[in-house]
């Protein structure tokens, strides 16, 4: 954008954007209410008419054409580019729940699984991202994803895909799907999703570690009954080992996950106190390392809570 246009309002892309623009203009007019009213010039009128015209589109038709593109079976570069464009276009609309539900009702979910199996990395990652947009806080589309057996493919991508971006988007999609959805959590567990989640936290990919740890924390808070399963799978010991590696930005989330798993879980607390895990000393050292650094304030809080939760009673007994 040129310097002459830096104050020009950003063109709305949909009705929500137009409403936001109108409210901004109303706020602006209130702040300058004492200024004399000026006539709207022809350039502004033309701009506004163009915006309205651009939003007068048949969304259902756009989605149908995109679905038709995504049904193509060849894997040529040209077709893959068309599919990527179709997926991006769908994402422009399905963040609106009504349009997401329309996508489901016109049979859009039938193209998602084949696209997750595309040979093209970008098609797979964009499809996973589209699924995340569709299912987030949307019960109808969550049910559609379960019916379409998308969880199995998403778990497989998270576990085995060679492209890190695909893995990250698959985890994003799974997180949007399983949180707040017991049926999806069961499917996730049935496809060994928690083992894959543990391996994701052991990954060298920072985004995967952070997102996986966040999902563990969220599920422990949301569904405390899952803590017993995660404990039996060895999550406590694995998390304790991970947080004792060389310190990095992922540790805040890993310690947060361990804290969520241990909270109100006596068995997990006892596991943390095993001398061979060396957790008490590790937490003390970590607190000493980060206590003067504001950027690690939340991690410091997690460390102190975990130390108090697991070891304060032992110290009182020693006295």
């Amino acid at each position: 954008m040129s310097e002459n246009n830096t104050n020009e309002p950003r063109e709305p892309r949909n009705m929500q954007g137009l409403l936001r623009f109108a409210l901004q203009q109303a706020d602006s007019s209130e702040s300058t209410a004492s200024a004399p009213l000026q006539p709207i010039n022809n350039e502004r009128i033309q701009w506004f008419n163009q915006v309205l015209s651009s939003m007068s589109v048949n969304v259902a038709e756009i989605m149908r054409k995109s679905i038709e593109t995504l049904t193509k079976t060849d894997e040529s570069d040209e077709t893959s580019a068309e599919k990527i464009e179709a997926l991006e276009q769908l994402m422009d609309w399905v963040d609106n729940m009504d349009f997401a539900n329309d996508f489901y009702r016109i049979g859009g979910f039938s193209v998602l699984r084949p696209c997750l199996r595309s040979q093209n990395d970008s098609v797979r990652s964009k499809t996973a991202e589209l699924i995340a947009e569709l299912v987030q806080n949307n019960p109808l589309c969550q049910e559609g994803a379960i019916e379409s057996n998308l969880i199995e493919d998403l778990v497989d991508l998270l576990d085995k895909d060679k492209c890190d971006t695909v893995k990250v988007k698959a985890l994003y999609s799974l997180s949007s799907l399983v949180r707040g959805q017991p049926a999806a959590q069961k499917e996730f567990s049935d496809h060994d999703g928690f083992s894959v989640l543990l391996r994701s936290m052991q990954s060298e990919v920072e985004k995967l570690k952070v997102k996986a740890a966040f999902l563990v924390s969220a599920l422990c808070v949301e569904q405390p009954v899952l803590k017993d399963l995660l404990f039996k799978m060895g999550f406590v010991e694995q998390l304790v080992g991970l947080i004792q590696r060389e310190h990095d930005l992922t540790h805040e989330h890993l310690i947060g996950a361990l804290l969520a798993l241990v909270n109100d879980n006596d068995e997990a607390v006892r596991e943390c106190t095993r001398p061979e895990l060396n957790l008490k000393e590790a937490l003390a050292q970590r607190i000493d390392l980060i206590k003067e650094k504001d950027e690690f304030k939340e991690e410091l809080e997690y460390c102190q809570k975990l130390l108090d939760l697991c070891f304060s009673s032992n110290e009182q007994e020693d006295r």
Side-chain angles (χ1 to χ4, degrees):
M1 184 179 291
S2 65
E3 291 182 5
N4 293 334
N5 293 329
T6 53
N7 294 323
E8 189 69 22
R10 184 176 181 179
E11 181 174 317
R13 297 179 62 187
N14 50 38
M15 290 306 294
Q16 290 174 326
L18 181 60
L19 177 60
R20 190 180 303 113
F21 167 77
L23 290 172
Q24 289 170 347
Q25 297 306 301
D27 290 342
S28 175
S29 64
E30 286 178 7
S31 64
T32 59
S34 59
L37 294 176
Q38 299 292 329
I40 301 176
N41 59 43
N42 289 333
E43 185 179 345
R44 290 297 291 247
I45 293 173
Q46 183 180 5
W47 174 82
F48 191 72
N49 285 335
Q50 287 174 345
V51 170
L52 286 176
S53 176
S54 69
M55 288 187 292
S56 299
V57 295
N58 186 331
V59 179
E61 185 60 26
I62 290 174
M63 290 196 292
R64 285 192 181 93
K65 288 181 178 179
S66 296
I67 291 168
E68 184 178 343
T69 298
L70 295 173
T71 59
K72 295 181 179 180
T73 57
D74 70 276
E75 295 277 359
S76 67
D77 290 344
E78 182 180 355
T79 299
S80 294
E82 291 174 0
K83 288 183 177 182
I84 292 166
E85 184 178 356
L87 290 162
E88 289 175 343
Q89 193 165 45
L90 287 168
M91 280 189 277
D92 283 340
W93 295 104
V94 300
D95 59 345
N96 179 303
M97 186 178 292
D98 291 333
F99 291 142
N101 290 341
D102 287 343
F103 178 82
Y104 168 71
R105 293 187 180 106
I106 64 176
F109 274 59
S110 64
V111 302
L112 297 177
R113 203 172 192 193
C115 286
L116 288 175
R117 299 178 177 185
S118 169
Q119 294 177 15
N120 185 281
D121 293 352
S122 294
V123 172
R124 295 196 306 279
S125 67
K126 293 288 184 185
T127 303
E129 186 176 1
L130 174 62
I131 294 169
E133 295 290 336
L134 285 163
V135 303
Q136 194 156 26
N137 301 317
N138 188 330
L140 179 64
C141 286
Q142 288 173 347
E143 291 173 10
I146 295 170
E147 292 168 0
S148 303
N149 298 313
L150 298 181
I151 292 176
E152 180 180 4
D153 282 66
L154 289 167
V155 169
D156 192 60
L157 289 177
L158 175 59
D159 193 29
K160 300 174 183 176
D161 203 280
K162 295 180 180 180
C163 175
D164 290 341
T165 301
V166 174
K167 288 186 172 188
V168 170
K169 295 300 184 182
L171 182 51
Y172 169 41
S173 188
L174 287 165
S175 182
S176 299
L177 182 53
V178 303
R179 291 173 61 196
Q181 176 52 270
Q185 291 166 12
K186 184 180 183 305
E187 285 283 318
F188 182 71
S189 180
D190 288 347
H191 292 293
D192 205 23
F194 290 109
S195 294
V196 175
L197 202 57
L198 180 57
R199 288 195 286 275
S200 297
M201 289 192 294
Q202 296 167 333
S203 164
E204 296 302 318
V205 181
E206 182 177 307
K207 283 187 177 180
L208 269 185
K209 292 171 74 172
V210 169
K211 289 181 181 294
F214 177 80
L215 182 53
V216 169
S217 300
L219 290 175
C220 285
V221 172
E222 179 188 308
Q223 291 284 2
V225 294
L226 289 174
K227 293 181 184 182
D228 184 54
L229 171 64
L230 300 182
F231 172 75
K232 290 177 179 177
M233 292 179 67
F235 268 64
V236 170
E237 184 172 355
Q238 292 298 322
L239 281 167
V240 170
L242 288 170
I243 65 177
Q244 293 188 54
R245 293 182 179 179
E246 184 177 354
H247 185 249
D248 61 38
L249 295 176
T250 67
H251 283 203
E252 172 190 322
H253 306 279
L254 294 169
I255 295 172
L258 180 59
L259 180 61
L261 180 54
V262 166
N263 193 40
D264 293 325
N265 188 341
D266 292 341
E267 249 189 323
V269 169
R270 285 194 293 272
E271 178 77 0
C272 285
T273 61
R274 284 170 48 202
E276 57 267 34
L277 293 185
N278 200 39
L279 179 60
K280 183 178 179 181
E281 292 77 8
L283 290 173
Q285 291 172 6
R286 180 62 48 79
I287 289 170
D288 189 56
L289 175 68
I290 65 176
K291 63 184 178 182
E292 303 296 336
K293 300 177 181 180
D294 288 341
E295 64 269 31
F296 298 120
K297 185 176 180 180
E298 197 159 4
E299 182 181 346
L300 178 63
E301 182 180 331
Y302 290 158
C303 287
Q304 290 170 333
K305 286 183 177 179
L306 195 55
L307 195 61
D308 291 342
L309 186 62
C310 296
F311 299 101
S312 60
S313 59
N314 290 348
E315 290 178 358
Q316 290 174 1
E317 289 174 5
D318 292 341
R319 292 173 188 171

